[in-house]
């Protein structure tokens, strides 16, 4: 039976009730300043055309995503603009389940006929995939929802004139160039506005607008036969132009340049074992690579290996509630509700409400990241029968699949900070900001570096070091953590572009954390030559 737009709206009454319950729980539903999006009537009609065509072609379930993506990028060097890009794409993607097998097709032909043809093609691909499907797909139940949501922003960065963005970046470069021995200064800004409508045969109809920004800044100093670069850790965020302004890049450019110049005088590190103190500006990336990727369920069961490999946190039956991932002060939370975070949403790309749950509790591994299809795989082990809402696609032309939520190390009970940890350390090294890194196929053995390194002796920072990298095995590293900061030292870093899948997709994800100390970690010198 065909579904009309009127039928669809009727079926969403339960969804409205659920939306109301979220408001009762104090969860934000709309932007603080800019109005939430509305679902365009033509888009709804196209979605209904596609869903009806999918059902007519034999689909027992289908979902339709109609998306418009605006992407901007500006890069500068000293007082020159090195690149500017501004692109937009618009189209429809249809996913079908026929005989327990997935099919997907997409088109930029935004007409009823185009939507129908995409749905029919997806259904044909489902039937083709069925011949090699080992086990029928079973979707975890989720309530039908109807609603809208927008990233809370005061000023949409995409709408800020290019001239204003360029002026800010060039001012930051000029400030850094005032520092003696600074030879180069580069800065950049990326902005994304993603408008997405999801409709499913379960009765869900939601429209969401996401806004994300990604600033960058690097200064390079040259002198005394050496050169050193310093990249400031400017976290990408789901935020508006007001966040970019709060960073005061022109006002901080000279200080950031001074750090690059100071690195010219830094002493090369002596190899050995040290108590390692990681600032949140460095630790977030270690969390991403050694916890975020290994706890993706598709990697753990061997169904995904692109970009980040598989996972040592496998098989699930030997890991859940058994693996001692870290020390008892280690609590790691997955969260798609966190304010300002890159993975924040109200519903995922399967219409599942944003979730928050513990991956690791008191050092013990508890749960993975899941979608509706994956939830049943481990429900008997975790007792969780619903999806954690980790489905995402980076475009209307990409099929949604499991992507990483925000994964964060929770603060400790004592509200201490980096200075307190330094004061309690006899011999150690502080590492700030992300640097180069390497990790093996199962996320087990790794090496990370940073941007700024400081020697600690008898509770005090005694000088700057260079050529520092730390090496460890993931469980050994996290089990050596003996001090962490409190709530006031919490900071939210993140990656604007995190790759996964084949064909490859990119998503944005944040990682919050506090400063932490790790006992007797192996430090290597990256500047040594044979």
């Amino acid at each position: 039976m065909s579904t009309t737009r009127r039928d669809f709206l009727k079926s969403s009454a339960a969804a409205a009730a659920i939306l109301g319950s979220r408001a009762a729980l104090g969860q934000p539903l709309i932007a603080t300043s800019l109005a939430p999006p509305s679902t365009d009537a033509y888009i709804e009609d196209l979605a209904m055309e596609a869903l009806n065509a999918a059902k007519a072609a034999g689909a027992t379930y289908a979902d339709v995503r109609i998306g418009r993506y605006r992407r901007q990028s500006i890069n500068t060097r000293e007082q020159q603009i090195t690149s500017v890009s501004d692109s937009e794409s618009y189209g429809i993607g249809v996913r079908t389940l026929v005989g327990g097998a997935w099919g997907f097709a997409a088109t930029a032909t935004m007409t009823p006929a185009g939507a129908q043809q995409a749905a029919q093609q997806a259904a044909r691909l489902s039937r083709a995939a069925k011949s090699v499907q080992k086990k029928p797909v079973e979707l975890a139940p989720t309530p039908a929802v109807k609603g809208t949501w927008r990233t809370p922003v005061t000023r949409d960065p995409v709408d800020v004139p290019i001239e204003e963005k360029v002026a800010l970046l060039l001012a930051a470069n000029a400030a850094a160039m005032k520092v003696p021995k600074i030879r180069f200064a580069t800065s950049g800004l990326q902005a994304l506005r993603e408008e997405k409508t999801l409709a499913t045969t379960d009765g869900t109809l939601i429209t969401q607008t996401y806004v994300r920004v990604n600033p960058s800044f690097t200064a390079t100093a040259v002198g005394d036969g050496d050169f050193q670069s310093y990249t400031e850790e400017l976290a990408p965020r789901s935020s508006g132009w007001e966040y970019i302004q709060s960073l005061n890049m022109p006002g901080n450019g000279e200080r950031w340049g001074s750090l690059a110049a100071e690195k010219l005088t830094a002493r090369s590190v002596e190899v050995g074992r040290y108590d390692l103190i990681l600032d949140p500006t460095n630790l977030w990336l270690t969390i991403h690579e050694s916890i975020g990727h290994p706890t993706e369920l598709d990697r753990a069961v061997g169904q995904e290996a692109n970009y980040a490999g598989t996972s040592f946190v496998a098989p699930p039956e030997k890991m859940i509630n058994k693996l001692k991932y870290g020390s008892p002060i280690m609590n790691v939370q997955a969260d798609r509700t966190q304010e300002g975070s890159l993975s924040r949403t109200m519903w995922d790309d399967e219409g599942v409400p944003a979730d928050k749950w513990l991956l690791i509790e008191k050092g013990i591994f508890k749960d993975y990241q899941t979608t509706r299809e994956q939830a049943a795989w481990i429900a008997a082990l975790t007792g969780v029968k619903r999806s954690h809402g980790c489905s995402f696609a980076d475009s209307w032309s990409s099929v949604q699949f499991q992507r990483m939520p925000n994964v964060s190390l929770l603060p400790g009970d004592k509200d201490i900070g980096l200075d307190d940890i330094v004061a309690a350390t006899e011999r150690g090294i502080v590492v700030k900001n992300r640097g180069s890194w390497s990790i093996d196929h199962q996320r087990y053995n790794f090496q990370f570096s940073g941007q700024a390194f400081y020697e600690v002796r008898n509770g005090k920072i005694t000088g700057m070091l260079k050529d520092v990298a730390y090496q460890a095995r993931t469980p050994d590293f996290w089990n050596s953590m003996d001090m962490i900061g409190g709530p006031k030292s919490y900071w939210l870093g993140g990656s604007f572009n995190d790759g996964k899948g084949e064909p490859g997709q990119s998503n944005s994800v944040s990682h919050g954390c506090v400063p932490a100390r790790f006992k007797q970690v192996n430090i290597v010198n990256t500047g040594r030559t044979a």
Side-chain angles (χ1 to χ4, degrees):
M1 183 177 73
S2 296
T3 304
T4 66
R5 195 169 154 224
R6 181 184 298 274
D7 295 334
F8 205 86
L9 294 176
K10 285 181 178 178
S11 70
S12 300
I18 291 167
L19 200 60
S21 68
R22 295 185 66 82
L25 292 172
Q27 299 180 21
L29 301 179
I30 61 175
T32 55
S33 298
L34 298 184
S38 58
T39 304
D40 181 87
Y42 184 68
I43 287 178
E44 283 189 45
D45 289 341
L46 282 184
M48 294 310 106
E49 293 285 355
L51 292 179
N52 288 332
K55 288 191 289 186
T60 54
Y61 169 85
D63 54 42
V64 178
R65 285 176 296 106
I66 298 176
R68 183 185 298 274
Y69 296 76
R70 179 86 176 271
R71 293 180 170 91
Q72 290 181 343
S73 176
I74 302 170
N75 291 293
T76 70
R77 174 179 166 176
E78 293 90 59
Q79 290 304 293
Q80 299 93 40
I81 302 169
T82 55
S83 67
V84 175
S85 66
D86 191 340
S87 64
E88 185 174 68
S89 70
Y90 183 44
I92 180 171
V94 184
R95 188 175 65 157
T96 57
L97 198 56
V98 179
W102 287 120
F104 176 78
T107 180
T109 303
M110 301 301 286
T111 63
Q116 293 167 4
Q117 289 168 7
Q120 291 160 357
Q121 184 179 1
R124 287 196 295 273
L125 291 171
S126 283
R127 284 191 286 275
K130 184 181 176 182
S131 62
V132 295
Q133 185 85 12
K134 293 182 179 178
K135 186 177 180 181
V137 172
E138 295 182 10
L139 298 179
T142 191
V145 292
K146 179 178 184 296
T148 63
W149 182 80
R150 173 191 285 272
T151 302
V153 300
T154 300
R155 191 181 184 193
D156 190 331
V158 171
D159 294 334
V160 174
I162 294 293
E163 294 84 352
E164 188 174 342
K165 297 168 182 166
V166 168
L168 181 144
L169 297 175
L170 295 183
N173 295 350
M177 296 299 291
K178 294 178 182 176
V179 179
K181 298 185 179 179
I182 292 298
R183 188 73 60 83
F184 311 106
T186 62
S187 58
L189 179 67
Q190 293 176 276
L192 167 68
R193 181 170 64 215
E194 174 183 346
E195 301 166 272
K196 181 164 29 184
T197 293
L198 170 71
T200 76
T201 50
D202 289 343
T204 284
L205 176 64
I206 53 180
T207 296
Q208 301 182 91
T209 299
Y210 305 90
V211 177
R212 304 185 186 99
V213 288
N214 182 32
S216 62
F217 177 88
T218 297
T220 300
V222 180
D224 305 324
D226 191 11
F227 73 91
Q228 293 288 333
S229 294
Y230 174 81
T231 299
E232 176 63 13
E233 195 64 36
L234 298 171
R237 294 280 172 82
S238 288
S239 299
W241 182 247
E242 58 275 11
Y243 167 68
I244 298 298
Q245 290 181 306
S246 75
L247 298 172
N248 191 14
M249 294 175 68
N252 284 306
E254 186 171 357
R255 181 172 63 86
W256 297 336
S258 297
L259 288 168
E262 186 181 356
K263 290 176 73 172
L264 290 172
T265 64
R267 182 169 60 85
S268 191
V269 70
E270 294 181 11
V271 300
R273 290 190 175 273
Y274 294 78
D275 288 351
L276 181 66
I277 303 170
L278 299 184
D279 188 75
T281 54
N282 178 269
L283 184 55
W284 75 263
L285 181 60
T286 309
I287 292 171
H288 175 88
E289 303 295 348
S290 69
I291 302 174
H293 282 307
T295 56
E296 294 173 293
L297 184 55
D298 51 1
R299 295 190 190 279
V301 300
Q303 291 193 4
E304 171 64 39
N306 285 290
Y307 290 93
T310 56
S311 172
F312 76 93
V313 189
E317 61 271 20
K318 293 184 178 180
M319 296 291 138
I320 293 172
N321 295 320
K322 297 177 181 176
L323 174 63
K324 190 174 183 298
Y325 215 114
S327 68
I329 60 174
M330 181 186 188
N331 293 289
V332 176
Q333 180 172 270
D335 186 358
R336 298 207 67 185
T337 69
Q338 189 170 9
E339 182 178 355
S341 64
L342 294 166
S343 184
R344 186 185 186 187
T345 188
M346 184 61 76
W347 304 277
D348 77 347
D349 281 356
E350 293 182 323
V352 176
D355 198 7
K356 180 167 60 176
W357 70 105
L358 285 176
L359 298 171
I360 299 167
E361 184 175 16
K362 296 180 180 179
I364 303 299
F365 176 66
K366 306 295 289 188
D367 204 349
Y368 293 91
Q369 308 158 36
T370 60
T371 63
R372 291 184 68 186
E373 177 183 354
Q374 297 171 333
W377 300 353
I378 55 172
L381 300 170
T382 62
V384 180
K385 298 180 180 179
R386 56 182 171 77
S387 164
H388 283 308
C390 297
S391 179
F392 174 80
D394 68 352
S395 166
W396 54 267
S397 59
S398 302
V399 65
Q400 62 267 58
F401 69 140
Q402 192 272 305
R403 295 313 313 267
M404 193 186 303
N406 306 302
V407 173
S408 301
L409 174 67
L410 297 182
D413 297 331
K414 296 181 179 178
D415 206 1
I416 61 175
L418 182 69
D419 292 344
D420 300 296
I421 297 176
V422 168
T425 302
E426 183 176 348
R427 179 175 180 267
I429 294 175
V430 175
V431 181
K432 295 186 175 183
N433 299 7
R434 84 178 105 170
S436 62
W437 58 273
S438 177
I439 190 167
D440 71 20
H441 192 70
Q442 291 192 315
R443 316 267 108 186
Y444 198 63
N445 299 281
F446 63 68
Q447 174 175 311
F448 286 86
S449 187
Q451 292 291 321
F453 317 97
Y454 299 92
E455 183 181 43
V456 177
R457 291 280 185 177
N458 301 317
K460 295 181 179 179
I461 288 178
T462 57
M464 200 175 204
L465 298 172
K466 64 180 180 181
D467 308 327
V468 176
Y470 56 95
Q471 295 178 327
R473 296 192 310 166
T474 298
D476 295 343
F477 177 78
W478 287 107
N479 276 284
S480 74
M481 185 171 69
D482 72 335
M483 286 188 76
I484 58 174
K488 291 181 180 177
S489 61
Y490 186 85
W491 185 81
L492 190 65
S495 173
F496 201 70
N497 297 294
D498 180 43
K500 185 177 180 182
E502 181 63 41
Q505 294 191 38
S506 175
N507 80 323
S508 299
V509 60
S510 291
H511 301 284
C513 55
V514 291
R517 186 175 74 178
F518 302 84
K519 296 293 287 185
Q520 293 300 293
V521 176
N522 191 42
I523 300 297
V524 298
N525 186 310
T526 60
R528 282 189 171 180
T529 56

